[in-house]
């Protein structure tokens, strides 16, 4: 079946890089996403990557995709206290356009 | 970026009443919208897929008579929680798939429903 796994917690110091990891099981996934959620708020789309790409960079964010290992990561450079939030990895199964399978979310704590 | 407006952001109601939640795509059209439910400190679980002009498709275990979905236009989907009970208390979030794309998905700000 479809499953997405993330580590639950990451703590970094301000200015350091953060790397949030995600694994998924569906080899037919077409797109993979990273969303950010602050307390009591909705999901903010950070970035997404098509499954035939292995890297995407957008300002401080770098997404790496290892399709063979079904591993996705999000690197945040120069992490700031405002980056503290829950980060969700999600995959779009190949058979279901628009339907997302989410990981449990990784809480990122940024210490000053 | 594209904006999805969800209203209300917070609602408290008595047990047995019905609550309607609106999801609007403000600057794009969305032929398909999705409704998710999120429990505290947990991930999002898809409840149903809402297609403009047709009946919604519900995920296994989601009661369609309990959670009524209407997608009357290309920019609006509504979720009505009927005869709400305390166990329906949750955070409900919608997402909208931008028309003409397969991948551009934007989420609303969510609705916190508390049933007393």
């Amino acid at each position: 079946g479809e499953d997405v796994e993330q580590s639950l917690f990451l703590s970094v110091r301000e200015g350091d890089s953060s790397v949030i990891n995600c694994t998924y099981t569906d080899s037919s996934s077409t797109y993979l996403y990273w969303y950010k959620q602050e307390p009591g708020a909705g999901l903010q789309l950070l970035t997404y990557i098509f499954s035939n790409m292995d890297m995407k960079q957008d300002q401080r964010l770098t997404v790496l995709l290892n399709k063979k290992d079904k591993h996705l990561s999000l690197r945040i450079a120069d992490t700031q206290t405002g980056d503290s939030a829950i980060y969700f990895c999600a995959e779009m199964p190949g058979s279901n356009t628009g339907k997302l399978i989410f990981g449990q979310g990784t809480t990122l704590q940024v210490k000053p | 970026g594209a904006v999805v407006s969800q209203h209300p952001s917070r609602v408290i109601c008595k047990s047995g009443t019905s609550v309607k939640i609106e999801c609007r795509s403000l600057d794009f059209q969305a032929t398909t919208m999705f409704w998710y439910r999120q429990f505290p400190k947990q991930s999002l679980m898809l409840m149903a897929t809402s297609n403009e002009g047709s009946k919604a498709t519900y995920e296994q275990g989601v009661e369609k008579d309990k959670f009524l979905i209407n997608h009357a236009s290309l920019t609006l989907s509504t979720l009505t929680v009927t005869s709400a009970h305390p166990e329906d208390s949750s955070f409900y979030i919608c997402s909208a798939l931008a028309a003409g794309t397969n991948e551009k998905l934007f989420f609303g700000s969510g609705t916190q429903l508390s049933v007393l």
Side-chain angles (χ1 to χ4, degrees), chain B residues 35-98:
Chain B
W35 288 95
Y36 291 82
R37 185 172 180 177
Q38 185 181 31
F39 290 104
K41 299 190 188 304
Q42 292 190 30
S43 189
L44 284 76
M45 299 300 295
L46 180 66
M47 298 174 65
T49 302
S50 169
N51 293 298
E52 186 264 336
S54 64
K55 288 185 179 180
T57 304
Y58 290 81
E59 295 298 299
Q60 193 171 8
V62 178
E63 298 175 61
K64 62 180 180 181
D65 295 330
K66 173 81 172 168
F67 299 100
L68 299 179
I69 290 171
N70 184 278
H71 193 153
S73 77
L74 288 172
T75 58
L76 173 65
S77 175
T78 60
L79 169 68
T80 301
V81 183
T82 61
S83 187
H85 290 284
E87 58 266 29
D88 299 322
S89 298
S90 189
F91 193 60
Y92 293 87
I93 311 180
C94 68
S95 70
L97 180 65

Side-chain angles (χ1 to χ4, degrees), chain A residues 33 35 37 42 48 100 102-103, chain B residues 34 36 38 43 103 105 109:
Chain A
Y33 297 78
Y35 286 91
Q37 186 180 38
Y48 64 92
L100 295 185
F102 282 87
Chain B
F34 302 86
Y36 291 82
Q38 185 181 31
S43 189
E103 81 285 5
L105 278 164
S109 51

Side-chain angles (χ1 to χ4, degrees), chain A residues 44-108:
Chain A
Q44 175 193 350
L45 175 62
L46 292 176
T47 186
Y48 64 92
I49 189 168
F50 187 48
S51 59
N52 70 354
M53 298 170 63
D54 50 23
M55 188 183 90
K56 182 177 180 181
Q57 188 158 1
D58 184 2
Q59 299 182 334
R60 292 192 297 126
L61 304 179
T62 303
V63 177
L64 295 178
L65 173 61
N66 182 327
K67 195 172 180 180
K68 173 176 167 289
D69 294 339
K70 300 191 189 72
H71 182 268
L72 182 74
S73 67
L74 174 69
R75 178 177 181 270
I76 305 172
D78 187 25
T79 314
Q80 303 297 306
T81 53
D83 294 324
S84 293
I86 300 176
Y87 289 79
F88 287 96
C89 164
E91 62 151 351
M92 184 185 299
S95 58
N96 286 288
T97 300
K99 169 181 172 177
L100 295 185
I101 308 297
F102 282 87
Q104 315 94 305
T106 299
T107 298
L108 175 64

Side-chain angles (χ1 to χ4, degrees), chain A residues 11-18 60 75-80 110:
Chain A
S11 180
V12 301
R13 294 220 170 266
E14 193 173 19
D16 288 350
S17 291
S18 307
R60 292 192 297 126
R75 178 177 181 270
I76 305 172
D78 187 25
T79 314
Q80 303 297 306
V110 183

